Amino acid sequence: MELTESYTLPVSQQQAWEALNDTAILHASIPGCESIEPDGDNAYRVSLRAVVGPVKAQFKGRMMLTDIDAPHTYTIVFEGQGVAAGFGKGSAKVMLEPDGETATTLTYGATAQVGGKLAQIGSRLVDSAARKMANEFFRRFTERLAGESGAAG
């Protein structure tokens, strides 16, 4: 599965970078996120609940940030295991580019693989659920940023 999207964020590049590295903002923005805890340098343990077609599962996994070039880009490498649902693993390259002084264009390209029950339900359902989760993440993330930039202004 591959996903590629761009979003305009209502904050400067530096503010967007800081938000992408703020576990409280990420916890509030990731759909179904139950916890996100530091686990070494640029690594996090993540627990979340997700519904993919008929499969409802809790996933526990690890996320690492690599190829860091602050405040421009990094790569997120992730892997997660659902008790009965199977597994997911992949990576996402995230790029930030200034769009004037008060906005930033965030572009990401992600690839992922799933196995177990998730692989059995079909790639269309998995792709659809992944896109829905990504869109919901960026909707929540952008709302948080807009609220913070409005409070700061």
Side-chain angles (χ1 to χ4, degrees):
M1 166 181 53
E2 293 186 22
L3 294 172
T4 304
E5 294 283 342
S6 289
Y7 294 88
T8 300
L9 304 175
V11 294
S12 71
Q13 182 180 21
Q14 185 62 40
Q15 288 170 301
W17 180 263
E18 289 168 6
L20 284 171
N21 288 281
D22 182 323
T23 55
I25 291 174
L26 293 175
H27 183 268
S29 301
I30 298 170
C33 185
E34 295 180 332
S35 67
I36 181 168
E37 305 290 334
D39 186 35
D41 287 344
N42 300 313
Y44 304 90
R45 289 263 169 221
V46 180
S47 176
L48 63 89
R49 288 194 180 277
V51 178
V52 181
V55 178
K56 295 178 184 173
Q58 179 172 9
F59 292 89
K60 293 186 183 285
R62 192 158 193 261
M63 170 174 93
M64 288 182 12
L65 306 180
T66 64
D67 304 325
I68 299 169
D69 178 15
H72 307 285
T73 184
Y74 63 39
T75 299
I76 303 166
V77 178
F78 55 89
E79 57 183 309
Q81 189 74 38
V83 176
F87 71 89
K89 64 180 179 178
S91 65
K93 183 166 182 70
V94 179
M95 294 161 283
L96 297 174
E97 293 181 21
D99 183 4
E101 291 183 21
T102 59
T104 302
T105 300
L106 180 150
T107 304
Y108 76 88
T111 59
Q113 295 176 293
V114 296
K117 252 191 193 174
L118 287 176
Q120 294 170 3
I121 65 172
S123 62
R124 246 191 305 193
L125 275 176
V126 173
D127 288 0
S128 174
R131 285 183 200 287
K132 184 177 176 184
M133 282 185 73
N135 288 335
E136 180 66 12
F137 168 81
F138 283 107
R139 184 188 67 75
R140 292 178 181 187
F141 186 72
T142 301
E143 284 176 1
R144 291 191 74 79
L145 294 180
E148 288 183 10
S149 67

